[in-house]
Amino acid sequence: MKNLLELKDISISFGGIEILHNISFTVKEGEIHSLIGENGAGKSTLMKIISGIYFPDRGIMKKNGTEIHLHGPLDAFAHKIGIVHQELSIAGNLTVAENMMVGREPVNKLGFINDKLLLETARKELLDLGIDIDPSVKAGRLSVGMQQVVEIAKVLAKDIDLLIMDEPTSSLSDREITHLFSLLRSIKSQRDLTIIFISHKLSEVMELSDRATVLRDGSIVGTVEREEMSVEKLISMMIGREL
């Protein structure tokens, strides 16, 4: 598989303190690549750089072999990169369809939102992803797990090929996690989607990942292929010593 995303010597500082140190990181086309590390290792900071929220002090980022410069999430979407944050941005007082179509609502000749077309478009997008949710229901009535699914659908509707998921299971039950993983595998196979998955739960990393990269104190420790993974190996890489 070729590299979809390449980072070379990425560094960033806040308040004069360097948080990420010369990060070099690659993601292959079509894989689920987990990024793991203890709290403060720099995982979320790195993902915010890849999704255009932060701009690095130095380093190069390439997508499909071409160098890119992201100055905001809209730039990231233009390069088909989307992120689902740990803190959901779902508005509970809006319907599922209204949440999904924010910023791209269909309008009629008078400039008013075409509610019928909005609902039909959202329903089709959900069906295309294999998601069984009524788009007319208020999002606040859904479980946290289903709200997470709506958030994913909302991001995937922007025609992305790289999905970043930052701690997506932190508020989910075991049943909701199983459903989410099944959905991710299905969407990945249907759309040739590449996923960067961030989690503290090593059992999830072992179950879902094709590869896993470990961050410690703002630096890359190494990348492990699926066949080489073990919980013991990942933990020792995370903490810097054998258990």
Side-chain angles (χ1 to χ4, degrees):
M1 291 186 290
K2 70 175 184 178
N3 290 332
L4 179 74
L5 182 75
E6 300 172 71
L7 275 64
K8 178 70 173 175
D9 295 330
I10 295 288
S11 298
I12 191 170
S13 300
F14 296 105
I17 299 173
E18 191 169 85
I19 305 300
L20 296 180
H21 322 294
N22 300 313
I23 296 289
S24 293
F25 175 68
T26 61
V27 180
K28 294 179 181 179
E29 195 174 66
E31 74 172 342
I32 298 179
H33 193 131
S34 288
L35 187 67
I36 62 175
E38 295 186 281
N39 286 334
K43 305 183 298 296
S44 290
T45 300
L46 180 58
M47 291 305 100
K48 286 177 179 177
I49 289 173
I50 295 173
S51 58
I53 297 169
Y54 292 158
F55 190 76
D57 299 328
R58 61 182 183 275
I60 295 171
M61 181 157 60
K62 293 182 179 181
K63 179 93 185 301
N64 291 316
T66 301
E67 186 172 347
I68 61 174
H69 300 273
L70 307 180
H71 297 279
L74 292 180
D75 279 352
F77 279 127
H79 288 282
K80 298 191 172 186
I81 300 171
I83 184 168
V84 175
H85 295 281
Q86 184 176 357
E87 302 81 16
L88 298 180
S89 60
I90 294 295
N93 61 322
L94 299 181
T95 66
V96 168
E98 288 166 337
N99 273 281
M100 288 179 59
M101 301 292 290
V102 168
R104 55 192 188 98
E105 297 90 345
V107 296
N108 57 28
K109 294 179 180 179
L110 299 177
F112 295 108
I113 293 175
N114 186 327
D115 292 320
K116 182 180 178 182
L117 183 56
L118 180 143
L119 196 63
E120 289 174 353
T121 303
R123 180 175 284 111
K124 182 180 184 305
E125 290 177 354
L126 288 167
L127 287 173
D128 287 346
L129 294 172
I131 298 172
D132 184 20
I133 298 177
D134 181 357
S136 65
V137 74
K138 295 285 186 183
R141 294 178 56 191
L142 301 176
S143 68
V144 174
M146 294 312 289
Q147 289 184 31
Q148 179 78 268
V149 169
V150 172
E151 186 89 3
I152 293 168
K154 178 180 170 183
V155 173
L156 290 177
K158 298 181 186 293
D159 188 32
I160 64 167
D161 59 15
L162 176 59
L163 174 65
I164 302 167
M165 303 200 68
D166 190 0
E167 300 282 359
T169 65
S170 58
S171 301
L172 304 187
S173 67
D174 288 344
R175 183 177 179 181
E176 288 172 330
I177 291 170
T178 299
H179 178 261
L180 176 63
F181 284 6
S182 176
L183 176 65
L184 289 177
R185 291 190 188 98
S186 174
I187 294 171
K188 175 178 172 287
S189 63
Q190 289 173 19
R191 296 185 45 166
D192 294 324
L193 185 68
T194 302
I195 299 170
I196 299 177
F197 180 78
I198 303 174
S199 178
H200 282 98
K201 302 175 184 177
L202 295 186
S203 59
E204 296 178 0
V205 172
M206 294 287 295
E207 178 183 347
L208 202 62
S209 310
D210 297 304
R211 292 194 299 158
T213 292
V214 180
L215 267 176
R216 187 172 72 238
D217 299 328
S219 298
I220 295 286
V221 177
T223 298
V224 183
E225 300 288 339
R226 181 173 184 83
E227 57 269 19
E228 301 169 348
M229 278 184 213
S230 70
V231 170
E232 293 78 10
K233 182 171 186 174
L234 294 175
I235 290 176
S236 67
M237 292 173 71
M238 287 169 60
I239 65 177
R241 58 181 172 82
E242 295 295 329
L243 288 175

